[in-house]
Amino acid sequence: MNSALRNSVFGTVLFVTLATAANGQTFDLVINNGRVIDPETGFDAIAHVGIVDGEIVEIAQSQLEGEQVIDASGLIVAPGFIDLHSHSVVDLPANRLQAFDGVTTALELESGVLPIADWYASVEAEGRATNFGATASWSFARIATMVPEMPPVEPTAAWYQGAFNYPRWTTNVTTEEELDKIIDLIQQGLDDGALGIGVNSGYVPGVGGKELLRIWELAAENGVPVSTHMRNWSEADPLSSLEGLAMVLGLSATSGARTNICHLHSTNLHDTLKAADMVDKARSIGIDVHTEVYPYGIASMPIASAVLLQAGEAFRARMGIDFDSVRLIAKGRWIEDEADMRAEQDADPGQFIIMRYLDEEDATDADILRKVTALPWIAIASDSIPYTQPDGTPITGEEWPMPDNAFSNPRSAGTYGKFLREWVREDELLDWPEAIAKVSLIPAQLFDGQVPAMERKGRLQEGMDADITVFDPETIGDRATIDRPFETTEGIEYLIVNGTAVISGGEMDTDVLPGKPIRK
């Protein structure tokens, strides 16, 4: 039995002899007395959940018995949270922090990776606390095709970051021969089980519309979604973010490919609410478009990303901020001015930064963030990034807990805790069922009819996968900050992944890694 299961002030785990329900069903794990919420059926009541072989097999009005029994009195029992935008799934310590934030499935959709088969094999060999999956990366394919100086493509963040030493893959239009090779590389990734195509066009201002149309058409041919960081990162015309959004909506409509627009607010800045209105209207006329946001006003990216290479006057006009809104993650300091920015870009072009584009202390900015995050049809996602030491060395392997010198974006540890604390418990912008839909069902629905494995997630019903987040609505909340981004979320009392307790009584069992790969 799991030695980490223990008593806690929020719920009691009891060990009993193997028990059989009145109908003859034997349960591996039982969750009794919790407020069970299923956003798809609208079920919301005190109930009792029985699990066998990683599947929910019974939701009962009467208490159940089993090999392991959790008393969830006073707790909410919800479908496991699904993160559509997790870059930190590549490393086990960061993945465990996401588990502490209630995540049972973490997907790398925006950027994706290549080669897909190698990525799945390496992650599965190391093991993960959560389920995992990825898209086939258009960016990786572009780099592998257009930058002969790069070593053979590897499914790692280090390989991707190294490509920023050769920026032509971000600035140049492809030839027909190059585009054919890019298509072939992506198709191989799809054949190997990728969950769709990741199109990070916000970092590639040189891409043309014809190339993007080929990518969207490829997705439609394969029956998979495109997840995109849209192009034209700017508040100013011409080439504004709203123009880039219109292009994405047009690509989705004309190709027929389902589209997931990543972090709608960070790419539309102070035009976010107008952008949300555009997406809502597109959905109302049948365009198959989805989107997600995170409950922060801070973005992360390599320091040599195209948007940060703009001259000071252009950067200020187009982004609505100055360079002193940029923070070096591993070095733990804010950029002083443009000269400081250029020096850091020359010294270490692949290092990650935080960019504050909406100031949560400013009433206007805070209102934008509050309103877009509360929209009931938009998913919540973290855009989490890996953790590094001050010298930039990634924190990998079995290291746990995270050391006090670990750096990242606080989104990587606190997204779901912050969302539930601030938008639900404190400000009451959403009720619990509405909020749970945004972190479970709505993300899962991105794959409806395309990825059968995801149709068994995001729902708390008989016959669904036993991915379950059990949290205390009175204490759920983030603790991660910019200065201490490694602090775990409070209030996640139990986390069940494929029927196995990863967190019990608020404590993580590092001996179990029940996450499974999710493929097309």
Side-chain angles (χ1 to χ4, degrees):
M1 286 186 184
N2 184 345
S3 61
L5 291 173
R6 62 174 179 81
N7 293 340
S8 82
V9 295
F10 300 105
T12 303
V13 179
L14 304 176
F15 297 114
V16 299
T17 58
L18 183 63
T20 304
N23 64 1
Q25 176 67 68
T26 298
F27 299 109
D28 300 331
L29 174 65
V30 163
I31 305 171
N32 280 334
N33 305 317
R35 179 182 172 185
V36 176
I37 297 176
D38 176 54
E40 186 169 61
T41 63
F43 184 88
D44 182 358
I46 302 300
H48 317 277
V49 181
I51 297 166
V52 176
D53 292 335
E55 180 180 314
I56 300 168
V57 297
E58 186 167 352
I59 299 176
Q61 294 181 333
S62 301
Q63 289 193 7
L64 304 173
E65 293 183 333
E67 286 188 319
Q68 300 176 5
V69 180
I70 294 172
D71 180 8
S73 298
L75 307 179
I76 289 178
V77 181
F81 303 166
I82 298 169
D83 189 356
L84 298 175
H85 195 154
S86 172
H87 303 299
S88 63
V89 71
V90 299
D91 294 325
L92 179 56
N95 177 245
R96 283 179 165 144
L97 269 183
Q98 285 215 279
F100 256 115
D101 204 21
V103 174
T104 59
T105 297
L107 305 177
E108 164 59 277
L109 299 188
E110 179 212 34
S111 180
V113 293
L114 284 177
I116 283 291
D118 292 352
W119 183 84
Y120 274 108
S122 64
V123 175
E124 192 168 9
E126 185 177 23
R128 288 295 180 269
T130 73
N131 302 306
F132 55 91
T135 54
S137 174
W138 167 75
S139 294
F140 276 53
R142 224 175 190 263
I143 295 164
T145 299
M146 301 178 71
V147 186
E149 296 93 336
M150 286 289 290
V153 60
E154 299 176 359
T156 64
W159 186 88
Y160 174 69
Q161 289 172 256
F164 284 89
N165 290 298
Y166 312 101
R168 65 178 171 276
W169 70 273
T170 71
T171 58
N172 291 10
V173 174
T174 53
T175 65
E176 288 188 15
E177 293 77 15
E178 287 172 334
L179 183 52
D180 286 343
K181 183 177 179 181
I182 290 168
I183 294 293
D184 289 343
L185 289 170
I186 295 172
Q187 183 63 60
Q188 183 61 57
L190 294 173
D191 292 343
D192 289 338
L195 296 174
I197 305 175
V199 180
N200 228 336
S201 56
Y203 298 100
V204 188
V207 64
K210 292 182 179 180
E211 178 175 347
L212 292 177
L213 180 58
R214 284 280 304 274
I215 301 302
W216 257 258
E217 289 174 339
L218 181 65
E221 292 166 7
N222 284 269
V224 295
V226 176
S227 287
T228 184
H229 178 146
M230 43 177 262
R231 60 184 293 182
N232 298 4
W233 208 352
S234 172
E235 295 179 355
D237 274 336
L239 301 178
S240 70
S241 296
L242 293 183
E243 181 180 328
L245 175 57
M247 181 182 192
V248 167
L249 296 176
L251 289 168
S252 185
T254 57
S255 70
R258 183 174 297 168
T259 301
N260 173 43
I261 300 171
C262 300
H263 45 47
L264 185 72
H265 57 337
S266 75
T267 45
N268 285 280
L269 308 166
H270 292 93
D271 291 325
T272 288
L273 297 181
K274 178 60 178 175
D277 185 57
M278 290 172 64
V279 175
D280 194 24
K281 289 176 178 176
R283 287 165 55 88
S284 73
I285 61 173
I287 297 177
D288 195 358
V289 60
H290 305 243
T291 190
E292 39 95 335
V293 297
Y294 45 76
Y296 298 85
I298 46 178
S300 288
M301 68 203 77
I303 197 170
S305 299
V307 65
L308 297 171
L309 296 176
Q310 298 177 97
E313 183 176 350
F315 180 80
R316 288 185 287 271
R318 299 187 70 77
M319 302 300 293
I321 55 176
D322 208 336
F323 289 120
D324 60 4
S325 292
V326 173
R327 181 179 176 88
L328 305 173
I329 289 179
K331 296 177 182 177
R333 71 173 183 87
W334 295 93
I335 288 289
E336 296 177 3
D337 52 27
E338 186 172 3
D340 188 18
M341 173 67 80
R342 303 306 176 220
E344 289 291 342
Q345 288 170 329
D346 290 340
D348 187 1
Q351 67 177 304
F352 270 77
I353 59 90
I354 285 173
M355 183 179 73
R356 180 182 286 129
Y357 59 90
L358 290 177
D359 185 352
E360 295 180 51
E361 300 300 318
D362 177 88
T364 299
D365 285 7
D367 189 56
I368 293 171
L369 184 61
R370 282 165 53 86
K371 287 179 177 177
V372 72
T373 305
L375 288 171
W377 50 273
I378 294 180
I380 302 300
S382 73
D383 194 6
S384 64
I385 59 172
Y387 282 74
T388 63
Q389 297 176 10
D391 65 358
T393 303
I395 297 173
T396 61
E398 290 292 332
E399 185 161 1
W400 187 260
M402 279 286 187
D404 283 356
N405 66 347
F407 288 92
S408 182
N409 191 308
R411 298 183 322 231
S412 303
T415 289
Y416 297 91
K418 180 177 182 182
F419 169 65
L420 295 175
R421 170 186 61 80
E422 188 171 333
W423 270 257
V424 188
R425 187 176 69 243
E426 294 180 353
D427 294 346
E428 299 182 336
L429 297 175
L430 298 162
D431 61 27
W432 290 111
E434 289 172 329
I436 288 169
K438 286 169 65 66
V439 300
S440 59
L441 177 64
I442 292 172
Q445 288 173 330
L446 174 64
F447 300 99
D448 280 1
Q450 297 187 344
V451 181
M454 290 301 297
E455 295 176 355
R456 294 172 53 88
K457 300 187 184 298
R459 291 99 167 162
L460 213 164
Q461 305 164 25
E462 294 175 2
M464 296 295 127
D465 291 339
D467 294 337
I468 300 172
T469 301
V470 183
F471 65 93
D472 187 341
E474 299 301 321
T475 63
I476 187 74
D478 57 310
R479 298 191 301 154
T481 65
I482 287 178
D483 292 323
R484 295 181 65 83
F486 49 81
E487 297 286 0
T488 57
T489 286
E490 293 181 303
I492 302 295
E493 291 305 310
Y494 304 95
L495 192 81
I496 313 300
V497 178
N498 296 308
T500 297
V502 175
I503 295 173
S504 300
E507 297 289 337
M508 175 165 286
D509 184 352
T510 57
D511 292 331
V512 298
L513 294 171
K516 294 181 179 181
I518 302 173
R519 297 181 176 89
K520 174 73 166 75

